[in-house]
Amino acid sequence: MVAASPNPIHNEKIEAIELPVIDLSAERSQVRNLIVKACEDYGFFKVINHGVPQDIVAKLEEQSLSFFAKTMAEKQRAGPAIPLGYGCKTIGFNGDMGEVEYLLFNTNPISVAQRSKTISNEPTKFSSAVSGYIEAMKDLACEILDLIGEGLWVPDTSVFSRMIRDVENDSFFRLNHYPHHLNKDCNNNINSSCSSKVGFGAHNDPQILTLLRSNDVGGLQISPQDGLWVPAPSDPTAFWVNVGDLLQAMTNGRFVSVRHRALNNSSNSKSRMSMAYFATPPLNACINALPEMVTPEKPRLYKPFTWGEYKNTLYSLRLGDTRLNLFRASTSDELAS
């Protein structure tokens, strides 16, 4: 029997902490320094005055809500998510469950257009909304990554963003919907605990960077230390940014891949919806600590690997498993580098 993801533990500590908010319209040298500090301290921050047009967000939200309002039978025509497509409660392939339904896309416009045919009665309109949003997120992610490169004072400031701009990038995009009525709609796992309020269980994102936008219903939390969870207040006009495993590896542990989760506030009369863009390099991209990040005092923490190798590892593990530890450098690796 497939086991449900664990419920939030009663003795967990929930604490409201003022998380970093960065105004991208401020003076550039100040912005890059603030981003680097946020990545070091939390691996997580909010950006405002980001330049993403509101109509791009509004069009996608309208199309998304229209899809999630369909009957379960209609939505299931866009699935199952293996891994792309429509999924309900089941997350991944190894037994993780959550009170969530979602659509997962590869960000390639041709792939989006093809998949939209099973999602919408107006596939061109839906595809246009998704691809327009993805393009805006790609531009924003690359801008933030260039600022990170500048803030780290590396010679090649586009070392991170170049991977995302590569035509072979493996970036993907997910629409998450956390409806309060999901328990009665999703009947594909009748043995799971329907009282669970875990929408998307605790995990670290494996990619370089994630950009997340949600509506005005809260639920996102980060864990800056074991046992402590900090709510990230909803702000439909802003984007939350979090460091992924690959960026932690490339900065040799200077940046932290933040652990986070989403709770489904089922008592709320309004459903939560979020849009997550995962900035990811090509499958053959070599992930290695930048030379400037390795010193005698801070030796190399991780052995080189490709994104393809890391991605394959993901499919063999549970959602909450720690993956980077599997790529820890040994003493012999360090001597050979």
Side-chain angles (χ1 to χ4, degrees), residues 119-132:
I119 294 172
S120 174
N121 295 329
E122 298 179 286
T124 301
K125 190 174 181 180
F126 187 92
S127 174
S128 175
V130 172
S131 291

mmCIF file with all atom_site columns, all heavy atoms in Angstrom, residues 119-132:
data_model
loop_
_atom_site.group_PDB
_atom_site.id
_atom_site.type_symbol
_atom_site.label_atom_id
_atom_site.label_alt_id
_atom_site.label_comp_id
_atom_site.label_asym_id
_atom_site.label_entity_id
_atom_site.label_seq_id
_atom_site.pdbx_PDB_ins_code
_atom_site.Cartn_x
_atom_site.Cartn_y
_atom_site.Cartn_z
_atom_site.occupancy
_atom_site.B_iso_or_equiv
_atom_site.pdbx_formal_charge
_atom_site.auth_seq_id
_atom_site.auth_comp_id
_atom_site.auth_asym_id
_atom_site.auth_atom_id
_atom_site.pdbx_PDB_model_num
ATOM 1  N N   . ILE A 1 119 ? -5.568  19.891 -22.212 1.00 0.00 ? 119 ILE A N   1
ATOM 2  C CA  . ILE A 1 119 ? -5.886  20.668 -21.007 1.00 0.00 ? 119 ILE A CA  1
ATOM 3  C C   . ILE A 1 119 ? -7.049  21.615 -21.215 1.00 0.00 ? 119 ILE A C   1
ATOM 4  O O   . ILE A 1 119 ? -7.924  21.756 -20.347 1.00 0.00 ? 119 ILE A O   1
ATOM 5  C CB  . ILE A 1 119 ? -4.638  21.464 -20.547 1.00 0.00 ? 119 ILE A CB  1
ATOM 6  C CG1 . ILE A 1 119 ? -3.532  20.498 -20.092 1.00 0.00 ? 119 ILE A CG1 1
ATOM 7  C CG2 . ILE A 1 119 ? -4.982  22.450 -19.446 1.00 0.00 ? 119 ILE A CG2 1
ATOM 8  C CD1 . ILE A 1 119 ? -2.210  21.168 -19.815 1.00 0.00 ? 119 ILE A CD1 1
ATOM 9  N N   . SER A 1 120 ? -7.078  22.257 -22.371 1.00 0.00 ? 120 SER A N   1
ATOM 10 C CA  . SER A 1 120 ? -8.030  23.349 -22.578 1.00 0.00 ? 120 SER A CA  1
ATOM 11 C C   . SER A 1 120 ? -8.857  23.156 -23.849 1.00 0.00 ? 120 SER A C   1
ATOM 12 O O   . SER A 1 120 ? -8.386  22.566 -24.831 1.00 0.00 ? 120 SER A O   1
ATOM 13 C CB  . SER A 1 120 ? -7.273  24.679 -22.647 1.00 0.00 ? 120 SER A CB  1
ATOM 14 O OG  . SER A 1 120 ? -8.124  25.746 -22.982 1.00 0.00 ? 120 SER A OG  1
ATOM 15 N N   . ASN A 1 121 ? -10.069 23.694 -23.812 1.00 0.00 ? 121 ASN A N   1
ATOM 16 C CA  . ASN A 1 121 ? -10.898 23.730 -25.016 1.00 0.00 ? 121 ASN A CA  1
ATOM 17 C C   . ASN A 1 121 ? -10.421 24.807 -25.976 1.00 0.00 ? 121 ASN A C   1
ATOM 18 O O   . ASN A 1 121 ? -10.822 24.842 -27.135 1.00 0.00 ? 121 ASN A O   1
ATOM 19 C CB  . ASN A 1 121 ? -12.361 23.997 -24.636 1.00 0.00 ? 121 ASN A CB  1
ATOM 20 C CG  . ASN A 1 121 ? -12.944 22.869 -23.812 1.00 0.00 ? 121 ASN A CG  1
ATOM 21 O OD1 . ASN A 1 121 ? -12.557 21.711 -23.963 1.00 0.00 ? 121 ASN A OD1 1
ATOM 22 N ND2 . ASN A 1 121 ? -13.870 23.198 -22.906 1.00 0.00 ? 121 ASN A ND2 1
ATOM 23 N N   . GLU A 1 122 ? -9.597  25.702 -25.457 1.00 0.00 ? 122 GLU A N   1
ATOM 24 C CA  . GLU A 1 122 ? -8.942  26.736 -26.265 1.00 0.00 ? 122 GLU A CA  1
ATOM 25 C C   . GLU A 1 122 ? -7.433  26.595 -26.096 1.00 0.00 ? 122 GLU A C   1
ATOM 26 O O   . GLU A 1 122 ? -6.789  27.419 -25.439 1.00 0.00 ? 122 GLU A O   1
ATOM 27 C CB  . GLU A 1 122 ? -9.406  28.126 -25.841 1.00 0.00 ? 122 GLU A CB  1
ATOM 28 C CG  . GLU A 1 122 ? -10.895 28.376 -26.014 1.00 0.00 ? 122 GLU A CG  1
ATOM 29 C CD  . GLU A 1 122 ? -11.287 29.775 -25.556 1.00 0.00 ? 122 GLU A CD  1
ATOM 30 O OE1 . GLU A 1 122 ? -11.330 30.000 -24.328 1.00 0.00 ? 122 GLU A OE1 1
ATOM 31 O OE2 . GLU A 1 122 ? -11.517 30.633 -26.423 1.00 0.00 ? 122 GLU A OE2 1
ATOM 32 N N   . PRO A 1 123 ? -6.857  25.540 -26.669 1.00 0.00 ? 123 PRO A N   1
ATOM 33 C CA  . PRO A 1 123 ? -5.450  25.237 -26.416 1.00 0.00 ? 123 PRO A CA  1
ATOM 34 C C   . PRO A 1 123 ? -4.475  26.342 -26.814 1.00 0.00 ? 123 PRO A C   1
ATOM 35 O O   . PRO A 1 123 ? -3.463  26.543 -26.137 1.00 0.00 ? 123 PRO A O   1
ATOM 36 C CB  . PRO A 1 123 ? -5.205  23.961 -27.234 1.00 0.00 ? 123 PRO A CB  1
ATOM 37 C CG  . PRO A 1 123 ? -6.313  23.914 -28.229 1.00 0.00 ? 123 PRO A CG  1
ATOM 38 C CD  . PRO A 1 123 ? -7.475  24.568 -27.579 1.00 0.00 ? 123 PRO A CD  1
ATOM 39 N N   . THR A 1 124 ? -4.773  27.055 -27.894 1.00 0.00 ? 124 THR A N   1
ATOM 40 C CA  . THR A 1 124 ? -3.873  28.135 -28.316 1.00 0.00 ? 124 THR A CA  1
ATOM 41 C C   . THR A 1 124 ? -3.827  29.236 -27.271 1.00 0.00 ? 124 THR A C   1
ATOM 42 O O   . THR A 1 124 ? -2.749  29.765 -26.943 1.00 0.00 ? 124 THR A O   1
ATOM 43 C CB  . THR A 1 124 ? -4.317  28.711 -29.675 1.00 0.00 ? 124 THR A CB  1
ATOM 44 O OG1 . THR A 1 124 ? -4.325  27.661 -30.652 1.00 0.00 ? 124 THR A OG1 1
ATOM 45 C CG2 . THR A 1 124 ? -3.373  29.809 -30.126 1.00 0.00 ? 124 THR A CG2 1
ATOM 46 N N   . LYS A 1 125 ? -4.988  29.578 -26.733 1.00 0.00 ? 125 LYS A N   1
ATOM 47 C CA  . LYS A 1 125 ? -5.070  30.615 -25.700 1.00 0.00 ? 125 LYS A CA  1
ATOM 48 C C   . LYS A 1 125 ? -4.349  30.170 -24.432 1.00 0.00 ? 125 LYS A C   1
ATOM 49 O O   . LYS A 1 125 ? -3.600  30.939 -23.814 1.00 0.00 ? 125 LYS A O   1
ATOM 50 C CB  . LYS A 1 125 ? -6.532  30.924 -25.409 1.00 0.00 ? 125 LYS A CB  1
ATOM 51 C CG  . LYS A 1 125 ? -6.765  32.144 -24.535 1.00 0.00 ? 125 LYS A CG  1
ATOM 52 C CD  . LYS A 1 125 ? -8.258  32.439 -24.430 1.00 0.00 ? 125 LYS A CD  1
ATOM 53 C CE  . LYS A 1 125 ? -8.509  33.677 -23.577 1.00 0.00 ? 125 LYS A CE  1
ATOM 54 N NZ  . LYS A 1 125 ? -9.976  33.962 -23.465 1.00 0.00 ? 125 LYS A NZ  1
ATOM 55 N N   . PHE A 1 126 ? -4.562  28.925 -24.043 1.00 0.00 ? 126 PHE A N   1
ATOM 56 C CA  . PHE A 1 126 ? -3.912  28.395 -22.840 1.00 0.00 ? 126 PHE A CA  1
ATOM 57 C C   . PHE A 1 126 ? -2.398  28.337 -23.036 1.00 0.00 ? 126 PHE A C   1
ATOM 58 O O   . PHE A 1 126 ? -1.621  28.773 -22.171 1.00 0.00 ? 126 PHE A O   1
ATOM 59 C CB  . PHE A 1 126 ? -4.451  26.999 -22.521 1.00 0.00 ? 126 PHE A CB  1
ATOM 60 C CG  . PHE A 1 126 ? -3.964  26.448 -21.217 1.00 0.00 ? 126 PHE A CG  1
ATOM 61 C CD1 . PHE A 1 126 ? -4.690  26.642 -20.060 1.00 0.00 ? 126 PHE A CD1 1
ATOM 62 C CD2 . PHE A 1 126 ? -2.774  25.730 -21.148 1.00 0.00 ? 126 PHE A CD2 1
ATOM 63 C CE1 . PHE A 1 126 ? -4.248  26.135 -18.844 1.00 0.00 ? 126 PHE A CE1 1
ATOM 64 C CE2 . PHE A 1 126 ? -2.313  25.221 -19.943 1.00 0.00 ? 126 PHE A CE2 1
ATOM 65 C CZ  . PHE A 1 126 ? -3.055  25.422 -18.791 1.00 0.00 ? 126 PHE A CZ  1
ATOM 66 N N   . SER A 1 127 ? -1.978  27.811 -24.163 1.00 0.00 ? 127 SER A N   1
ATOM 67 C CA  . SER A 1 127 ? -0.552  27.689 -24.467 1.00 0.00 ? 127 SER A CA  1
ATOM 68 C C   . SER A 1 127 ? 0.132   29.054 -24.475 1.00 0.00 ? 127 SER A C   1
ATOM 69 O O   . SER A 1 127 ? 1.239   29.214 -23.960 1.00 0.00 ? 127 SER A O   1
ATOM 70 C CB  . SER A 1 127 ? -0.362  26.986 -25.807 1.00 0.00 ? 127 SER A CB  1
ATOM 71 O OG  . SER A 1 127 ? 0.988   26.967 -26.191 1.00 0.00 ? 127 SER A OG  1
ATOM 72 N N   . SER A 1 128 ? -0.533  30.050 -25.063 1.00 0.00 ? 128 SER A N   1
ATOM 73 C CA  . SER A 1 128 ? 0.022   31.396 -25.119 1.00 0.00 ? 128 SER A CA  1
ATOM 74 C C   . SER A 1 128 ? 0.213   31.980 -23.724 1.00 0.00 ? 128 SER A C   1
ATOM 75 O O   . SER A 1 128 ? 1.235   32.617 -23.426 1.00 0.00 ? 128 SER A O   1
ATOM 76 C CB  . SER A 1 128 ? -0.903  32.309 -25.941 1.00 0.00 ? 128 SER A CB  1
ATOM 77 O OG  . SER A 1 128 ? -0.447  33.634 -25.919 1.00 0.00 ? 128 SER A OG  1
ATOM 78 N N   . ALA A 1 129 ? -0.762  31.737 -22.838 1.00 0.00 ? 129 ALA A N   1
ATOM 79 C CA  . ALA A 1 129 ? -0.677  32.251 -21.473 1.00 0.00 ? 129 ALA A CA  1
ATOM 80 C C   . ALA A 1 129 ? 0.476   31.595 -20.716 1.00 0.00 ? 129 ALA A C   1
ATOM 81 O O   . ALA A 1 129 ? 1.247   32.274 -20.015 1.00 0.00 ? 129 ALA A O   1
ATOM 82 C CB  . ALA A 1 129 ? -1.992  32.023 -20.739 1.00 0.00 ? 129 ALA A CB  1
ATOM 83 N N   . VAL A 1 130 ? 0.620   30.274 -20.854 1.00 0.00 ? 130 VAL A N   1
ATOM 84 C CA  . VAL A 1 130 ? 1.687   29.555 -20.155 1.00 0.00 ? 130 VAL A CA  1
ATOM 85 C C   . VAL A 1 130 ? 3.057   29.964 -20.686 1.00 0.00 ? 130 VAL A C   1
ATOM 86 O O   . VAL A 1 130 ? 3.975   30.284 -19.921 1.00 0.00 ? 130 VAL A O   1
ATOM 87 C CB  . VAL A 1 130 ? 1.492   28.034 -20.282 1.00 0.00 ? 130 VAL A CB  1
ATOM 88 C CG1 . VAL A 1 130 ? 2.705   27.278 -19.725 1.00 0.00 ? 130 VAL A CG1 1
ATOM 89 C CG2 . VAL A 1 130 ? 0.233   27.589 -19.554 1.00 0.00 ? 130 VAL A CG2 1
ATOM 90 N N   . SER A 1 131 ? 3.214   29.971 -22.003 1.00 0.00 ? 131 SER A N   1
ATOM 91 C CA  . SER A 1 131 ? 4.517   30.290 -22.595 1.00 0.00 ? 131 SER A CA  1
ATOM 92 C C   . SER A 1 131 ? 4.919   31.747 -22.349 1.00 0.00 ? 131 SER A C   1
ATOM 93 O O   . SER A 1 131 ? 6.101   32.041 -22.145 1.00 0.00 ? 131 SER A O   1
ATOM 94 C CB  . SER A 1 131 ? 4.506   29.993 -24.097 1.00 0.00 ? 131 SER A CB  1
ATOM 95 O OG  . SER A 1 131 ? 4.431   28.598 -24.325 1.00 0.00 ? 131 SER A OG  1
ATOM 96 N N   . GLY A 1 132 ? 3.941   32.650 -22.346 1.00 0.00 ? 132 GLY A N   1
ATOM 97 C CA  . GLY A 1 132 ? 4.233   34.050 -22.044 1.00 0.00 ? 132 GLY A CA  1
ATOM 98 C C   . GLY A 1 132 ? 4.747   34.220 -20.628 1.00 0.00 ? 132 GLY A C   1
ATOM 99 O O   . GLY A 1 132 ? 5.702   34.975 -20.372 1.00 0.00 ? 132 GLY A O   1
#
